[in-house]
């Protein structure tokens, strides 16, 4: 699956602030017993994490992680690794079917939020945690970066410097700022 994590930020937060907060939160997220248990119980065998910073004059540095998680197929249930339907009014009601069917999203989101709060920062869960199950050809990602014609998980994790198009004049990758 592709897991994307971020924190709330604004122009007051420097890139250094955001990098330190995200890196510390990630370390806590993965090393805390809750995170270790969640991923171990579901058969995670490894991951690849790629940070991606963007910048806008309005909100400053937006720093986030794209993490490609690899699971043992015998323990992995893709149905449990999905974002809630945020258009459903009961998406955050613990008694609703929408809540329980996305139980791993909720476990990840609550655990991520707890690590962010320990650092004195905050996040809005529906924007801070995004899970995309994928059955795309991971070998293509590993062996031929940029091979695909479409923007998919491969491109998201490996080609952030090409992500923003010219019509997004208020947001820039670090590479765009340098040129």
């Amino acid at each position: 699956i592709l897991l994307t994590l971020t924190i709330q930020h604004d122009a007051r937060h420097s890139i250094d602030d955001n990098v330190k907060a995200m890196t510390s939160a990630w370390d806590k997220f993965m090393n805390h017993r809750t995170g270790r248990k969640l991923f171990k119980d579901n058969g995670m065998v490894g991951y690849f994490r790629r940070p991606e910073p963007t910048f806008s004059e309005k909100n400053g540095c937006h720093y986030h992680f794209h993490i490609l998680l690899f699971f043992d197929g015998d323990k992995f249930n893709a149905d449990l690794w999905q974002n809630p339907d945020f258009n459903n009014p009961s998406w955050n009601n613990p008694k609703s079917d929408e809540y329980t069917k996305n139980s791993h999203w909720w476990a990840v989101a609550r655990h991520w939020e707890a690590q962010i709060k320990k650092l004195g920062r905050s996040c809005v869960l529906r924007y801070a945690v995004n899970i995309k199950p994928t059955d795309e050809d991971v070998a293509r990602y590993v062996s031929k970066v940029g091979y695909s014609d479409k923007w998919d998980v491969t491109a998201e994790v490996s080609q952030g410097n090409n992500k923003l198009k010219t019509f997004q004049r208020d947001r820039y990758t670090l590479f765009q700022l340098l040129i």
Side-chain angles (χ1 to χ4, degrees):
I1 65 172
L2 177 65
L3 171 63
T4 303
L5 299 172
T6 193
I7 57 175
Q8 204 161 0
H9 63 92
D10 60 37
R12 296 175 302 173
H13 299 107
S14 70
I15 188 168
D16 191 48
D17 292 340
N18 290 335
V19 168
K20 285 179 182 176
M22 287 288 295
T23 302
S24 181
W26 172 256
D27 290 344
K28 292 174 186 305
F29 180 80
M30 291 304 289
N31 292 319
H32 189 277
R33 67 183 175 283
T34 302
R36 286 194 318 262
K37 180 173 175 29
L38 172 67
F39 291 118
K40 180 182 177 190
D41 288 355
N42 286 284
M44 188 178 85
V45 295
Y47 67 88
F48 173 81
R49 184 189 78 189
R50 182 179 190 279
E52 182 175 305
T54 59
F55 179 83
S56 76
E57 288 186 31
K58 178 181 176 187
N59 295 315
C61 172
H62 172 67
Y63 193 75
H64 56 283
F65 292 139
H66 295 293
I67 306 115
L68 195 55
L69 302 171
F70 300 93
F71 291 88
D72 176 342
D74 293 334
K75 292 183 178 181
F76 181 71
N77 181 348
D79 293 337
L80 295 175
W81 289 93
Q82 310 232 359
N83 293 329
D85 176 1
F86 295 116
N87 294 317
N88 182 331
S90 64
W91 75 268
N92 62 352
N93 178 348
K95 296 180 181 176
S96 75
D97 290 338
E98 183 64 30
Y99 184 93
T100 56
K101 78 178 183 184
N102 301 300
S103 62
H104 292 336
W105 183 91
W106 277 106
V108 169
R110 285 190 303 263
H111 185 51
W112 179 246
E113 181 181 43
Q115 307 322 308
I116 295 298
K117 284 182 175 181
K118 287 177 187 176
L119 300 170
R121 300 287 295 265
S122 64
C123 64
V124 177
L125 292 182
R126 72 184 295 163
Y127 304 114
V129 178
N130 188 9
I131 295 176
K132 292 182 182 176
T134 180
D135 59 356
E136 293 169 304
D137 187 4
V138 175
R140 180 172 33 159
Y141 162 73
V142 173
S143 63
K144 296 186 180 190
V145 173
Y147 177 76
S148 177
D149 292 346
K150 63 183 193 268
W151 196 267
D152 57 7
V153 170
T154 304
E156 187 68 41
V157 175
S158 64
Q159 297 183 13
N161 56 311
N162 296 323
K163 187 173 182 179
L164 297 176
K165 305 294 182 214
T166 56
F167 65 85
Q168 293 177 312
R169 297 183 193 281
D170 63 336
R171 289 182 286 171
Y172 307 94
T173 67
L174 289 180
F175 294 103
Q176 289 169 323
L177 289 172
L178 293 173
I179 50 177

